[in-house]
């Protein structure tokens, strides 16, 4: 790379500057742990969650990890999902998991017909009791009792896996809500079921409705709503909006929403979305200097380090972190569909930020910094130049990228000409007005005769 007054052949004279924006010998001395490609610790991961999401995340991992290379992980996830289901009353999920195990975990993890029959028999009895109670409440026209009756039905359906019926029951309580807290409870229940069903338009709607009653929102509920909104924006691929919601989440969240999301997820989702969409100043002010979000980042040091590396222009280290994180992120139930897009956006931002301060860049050294081939780097840069994200041209023979900086000399000359033209026009106007006044050619109002 070289300054404007340096000849093109002196790109290597500023080697130190290149190292500051890529790999450097000092990187080896920093002794910060780079995570390895070790497989996900299923037990530790599952302990972050509770309820239905714990089970569905385990099933998701089993479905998406490679059965040939990671059969141990797959069977561990299925075993834990089986055990967790047996603690509840969801026979639907039980019948879904057993065929996936396919007798690979021994006789203790097969189809338990007796358990299914007992659960279903209890469910019928419970449903009949709830129907009788709700009918009695309707007859007596007691609004609070009717509301609680529909809530009980929602809880019943949710526990047994009938998510559609659970959503309908929770929403029906709306007509019987008499306080702001009742509305908040209805919204939070509807949001929970909507997330499980993947109906994120409903999530957005009920988050908005809950936020319309701020007097009933405590710090924990506000944090939950921001997380739910963040998930909805993430699903809609509105990554910048998702980042803002996760960054606004207060530390009060703690483990109070682990039936949906863990604090570690807030750090990961928010950090990656911010890295992909925020500019350098936003990354500094809204992420790195954000005291509240720092509490979440402390739970996931890898994400904290890769954000700091990106901001400090240590791209090789940042890309190492991202590369090692990727296999586990692809097993995340909410993030897996967005990993490739986010990674591409982060890499493109790194390429742009690397080239921005310089007039010319040696592609061999840049390829080394980004751990890619010169040919592959050229293709990436061509795409960014075509999309007008980098103002530059590539010398393919000498493997140098030349920035197309504005011609300051020509721009200054054009501004001088424009200023001179404006001055000439103003002087001519002043002389014309002076001559008109001198020869009394000014017209006074009301002096004309008709």
């Amino acid at each position: 790379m070289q300054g404007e007054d340096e000849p093109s052949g002196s790109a290597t004279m500023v080697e130190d500057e290149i190292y500051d924006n890529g790999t450097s010998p000092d990187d080896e001395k920093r002794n910060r742990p780079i995570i390895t490609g070790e497989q996900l610790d299923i037990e530790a991961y599952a302990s972050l969650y509770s309820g239905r999401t714990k089970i569905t995340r385990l099933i998701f991992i089993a479905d998406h990890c490679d059965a040939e290379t990671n059969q141990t992980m797959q069977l561990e996830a299925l075993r834990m999902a089986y055990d967790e289901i047996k603690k509840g009353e969801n026979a639907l999920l039980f019948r879904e998991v057993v065929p996936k195990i396919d007798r690979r975990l021994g006789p203790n993890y097969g189809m338990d017909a007796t358990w299914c029959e007992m659960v279903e028999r209890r469910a019928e009895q419970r449903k009949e009791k709830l129907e009788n109670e709700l009918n009695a409440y309707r007859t007596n026209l007691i609004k609070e009792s009717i509301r609680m009756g529909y809530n009980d039905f929602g809880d019943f359906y949710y526990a047994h896996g009938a998510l559609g019926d659970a959503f309908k029951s929770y929403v029906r309580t709306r007509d019987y809500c008499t306080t702001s807290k009742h509305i908040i409870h209805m919204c939070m229940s509807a949001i929970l079921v909507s997330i499980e069903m993947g109906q994120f338009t409903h999530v957005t709607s009920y988050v908005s409705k809950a936020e319309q009653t701020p007097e009933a929102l405590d710090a924990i509920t506000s944090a939950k709503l921001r997380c739910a909104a963040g998930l909805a924006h993430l699903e809609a691929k509105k990554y910048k909006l998702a980042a803002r919601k996760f960054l606004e989440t207060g530390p009060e969240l703690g483990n109070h929403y682990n039936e949906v999301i863990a604090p570690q997820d807030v750090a990961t989702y928010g950090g990656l979305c911010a890295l992909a969409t925020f500019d350098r100043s936003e990354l500094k002010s809204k992420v790195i200097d954000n005291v509240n979000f720092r509490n979440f980042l402390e739970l996931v040091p890898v994400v904290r380090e890769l954000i700091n590396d990106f901001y400090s222009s240590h791209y090789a280290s940042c890309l190492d972190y991202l590369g090692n994180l990727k296999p586990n992120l692809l097993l995340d139930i909410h993030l897996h569909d967005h990993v490739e897009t986010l990674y591409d956006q982060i890499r493109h931002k790194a390429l742009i930020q690397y080239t921005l301060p310089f007039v010319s860049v040696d592609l061999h050294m840049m390829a080394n910094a980004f751990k890619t081939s010169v040919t592959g780097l050229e293709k990436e840069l061509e795409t960014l130049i075509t999309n007008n994200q980098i103002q530059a041209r590539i010398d393919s023979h000498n493997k140098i990228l030349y920035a197309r900086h504005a011609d300051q000399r020509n721009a200054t000359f054009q501004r001088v000409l424009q200023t001179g033209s404006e001055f000439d026009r103003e002087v001519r106007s002043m002389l014309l007005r002076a001559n008109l006044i001198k020869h009394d050619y000014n017209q006074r109002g009301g002096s004309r005769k008709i």
Side-chain angles (χ1 to χ4, degrees):
M1 300 177 186
Q2 71 214 37
E4 292 185 5
D5 298 329
E6 294 172 343
S8 59
S10 62
T12 57
M13 294 176 64
V14 285
E15 189 171 282
D16 291 339
E17 288 182 295
I18 296 175
Y19 283 141
D20 287 341
N21 287 272
T23 55
S24 75
D26 292 336
D27 284 343
E28 298 176 1
K29 300 177 182 178
R30 292 159 72 188
N31 293 324
R32 292 187 306 178
I34 299 291
I35 62 170
T36 63
E38 295 178 0
Q39 66 182 28
L40 188 67
D41 185 338
I42 300 293
E43 187 173 355
Y45 177 78
S47 67
L48 300 175
Y49 307 98
S50 65
R52 181 185 173 90
T53 193
K54 181 176 183 177
I55 299 168
T56 54
R57 283 173 182 268
L58 288 168
I59 295 174
F60 183 87
I61 290 172
D63 288 344
H64 288 78
C65 67
D66 192 335
E68 294 182 3
T69 59
N70 284 323
Q71 186 176 12
T72 303
M73 178 191 291
Q74 184 186 60
L75 291 177
E76 178 68 8
L78 290 172
R79 181 188 66 76
M80 293 186 68
Y82 185 100
D83 291 340
E84 195 68 26
I85 292 169
K86 291 291 288 283
K87 296 176 184 178
E89 299 181 322
N90 196 333
L92 291 175
L93 273 179
F94 184 78
R95 289 192 172 94
E96 180 184 336
V97 165
V98 171
K100 294 179 185 293
I101 295 175
D102 193 25
R103 299 189 296 275
R104 289 179 293 171
L105 291 173
N108 292 332
Y109 289 90
M111 176 57 70
D112 190 341
T114 303
W115 181 84
C116 289
E117 290 174 5
M118 180 182 68
V119 166
E120 289 169 348
R121 185 169 60 252
R122 268 202 316 261
E124 286 298 324
Q125 295 171 353
R126 174 67 175 160
K127 185 177 180 182
E128 184 177 354
K129 180 182 178 183
L130 290 174
E131 286 175 344
N132 292 333
E133 290 177 350
L134 184 57
N135 288 332
Y137 297 149
R138 283 172 171 171
T139 302
N140 296 327
L141 298 176
I142 304 173
K143 293 186 71 173
E144 176 60 13
S145 297
I146 297 173
R147 186 187 71 83
M148 293 179 65
Y150 277 124
N151 265 332
D152 290 341
F153 253 117
D155 294 342
F156 167 79
Y157 283 128
Y158 182 76
H160 289 274
L163 299 180
D165 291 329
F167 180 78
K168 292 176 184 177
S169 296
Y170 287 133
V171 171
R172 281 174 183 160
T173 65
R174 178 173 50 192
D175 296 332
Y176 305 96
C177 292
T178 56
T179 68
S180 297
K181 287 187 177 181
H182 292 166
I183 294 173
I184 296 297
H185 184 272
M186 181 272 294
C187 290
M188 297 305 297
S189 299
I191 288 168
L192 173 64
V193 180
S194 297
I195 291 173
E196 294 288 352
M197 291 193 297
Q199 299 292 334
F200 286 95
T201 52
H202 289 163
V203 174
T204 303
S205 175
Y206 283 97
V207 166
S208 177
K209 187 173 183 64
E211 289 176 341
Q212 292 172 10
T213 55
E215 69 280 357
L217 293 177
D218 55 32
I220 294 174
T221 305
S222 295
K224 289 180 178 180
L225 289 174
R226 288 188 174 93
C227 287
L231 289 175
H233 289 313
L234 178 65
E235 184 66 24
K237 299 184 178 179
K238 298 176 180 177
Y239 300 125
K240 190 160 192 174
L241 293 176
R244 287 174 179 170
K245 289 299 180 182
F246 289 124
L247 292 171
E248 291 170 1
T249 302
E252 299 84 6
L253 179 74
N255 293 316
H256 295 291
Y257 209 28
N258 58 6
E259 66 271 24
V260 171
I261 192 172
Q264 287 84 347
D265 294 329
V266 175
T268 304
Y269 300 170
L272 292 179
C273 288
L275 209 56
T277 58
F278 283 8
D279 60 32
R280 188 175 176 82
S281 61
E282 286 180 312
L283 198 63
K284 176 65 172 174
S285 62
K286 297 181 180 179
V287 181
I288 296 174
D289 293 340
N290 185 333
V291 177
N292 287 335
F293 192 66
R294 195 180 301 160
N295 294 322
F296 291 105
L297 286 176
E298 291 299 325
L299 300 173
V300 192
V302 178
V303 176
R304 181 195 64 207
E305 292 300 322
L306 71 88
I307 290 173
N308 287 327
D309 279 343
F310 186 92
Y311 182 77
S312 303
S313 301
H314 294 109
Y315 301 117
S317 176
C318 176
L319 294 174
D320 275 340
Y321 281 122
L322 286 171
N324 288 312
L325 267 179
K326 190 173 184 179
N328 291 343
L329 296 181
L330 290 172
L331 297 177
D332 185 280
I333 196 169
H334 293 299
L335 199 62
H336 71 284
D337 278 340
H338 310 282
V339 170
E340 295 295 342
T341 303
L342 289 171
Y343 270 45
D344 286 344
Q345 290 185 16
I346 292 170
R347 186 175 179 86
H348 290 166
K349 280 188 64 181
L351 289 168
I352 294 167
Q353 190 169 295
Y354 186 102
T355 61
L356 196 59
F358 303 102
V359 173
S360 65
V361 180
D362 185 328
L363 294 186
H364 292 284
M365 303 189 76
M366 187 174 178
N368 181 53
F370 283 89
K371 296 193 172 181
T372 185
S373 66
V374 174
T375 304
L377 179 62
E378 278 192 73
K379 290 180 180 179
E380 288 185 271
L381 292 173
E382 285 170 9
T383 302
L384 293 173
I385 292 170
T386 302
N387 294 334
N388 207 32
Q389 292 180 273
I390 292 180
Q391 304 294 324
R393 63 188 188 278
I394 299 174
D395 181 347
S396 296
H397 177 71
N398 294 314
K399 303 301 180 186
I400 295 176
L401 178 77
Y402 291 102
R404 288 178 178 168
H405 291 296
D407 189 340
Q408 297 295 335
R409 184 175 180 179
N410 183 59
T412 302
F413 183 68
Q414 293 298 328
R415 284 199 301 271
V416 169
L417 286 178
Q418 183 180 354
T419 303
S421 297
E422 292 174 355
F423 180 75
D424 181 66
R425 185 171 61 252
E426 289 176 1
V427 169
R428 288 177 181 274
S429 298
M430 289 171 62
L431 290 172
L432 177 60
R433 285 195 297 271
N435 282 324
L436 288 172
I437 293 171
K438 179 180 179 180
H439 294 89
D440 201 23
Y441 281 167
N442 55 321
Q443 182 177 341
R444 294 181 177 83
S447 63
R448 295 176 61 187
K449 295 182 180 180
I450 300 175

